Amino acid sequence: MITRNHLDSCLRHAVILGALTVLLIPAARGSSAWFGWWPLWLLGMPLSAWWSLRGFPLPRVALRLPQRRRAQARRRRRPAPSPANIERRA
């Protein structure tokens, strides 16, 4: 049975090997007709699996950034139709 720690270790190694492969082998930066874009499969997919295994944590920098507080946009009210405009339409 695969434990969570074992899976975490396997994914960490997959990310490291994928990053080294993309950095050191120029052909791994291209794409294939069968697999598509190689960096996605060598680095992106293991990274997203590892991130989901850890519960999608946000980076510490993102947690320290101040939240923007802006006023919400409001709709403009249409002016009430004037009697002169109503008479022209009729």
Side-chain angles (χ1 to χ4, degrees), residues 16-29:
I16 292 169
L17 288 175
L20 287 174
T21 304
V22 169
L23 289 173
L24 297 176
I25 301 174
R29 298 178 204 139

Side-chain angles (χ1 to χ4, degrees), residues 3-37:
T3 64
R4 188 177 187 90
N5 291 336
H6 182 67
L7 186 58
D8 185 69
S9 175
C10 288
L11 286 171
R12 186 176 340 119
H13 284 84
V15 167
I16 292 169
L17 288 175
L20 287 174
T21 304
V22 169
L23 289 173
L24 297 176
I25 301 174
R29 298 178 204 139
S31 63
S32 165
W34 286 5
F35 293 110
W37 194 50

Side-chain angles (χ1 to χ4, degrees), residues 32-56:
S32 165
W34 286 5
F35 293 110
W37 194 50
W38 282 106
L40 173 73
W41 296 106
L42 294 172
L43 192 58
M45 291 300 177
L47 266 174
S48 64
W50 192 28
W51 188 45
S52 69
L53 180 70
R54 294 181 159 263
F56 302 105

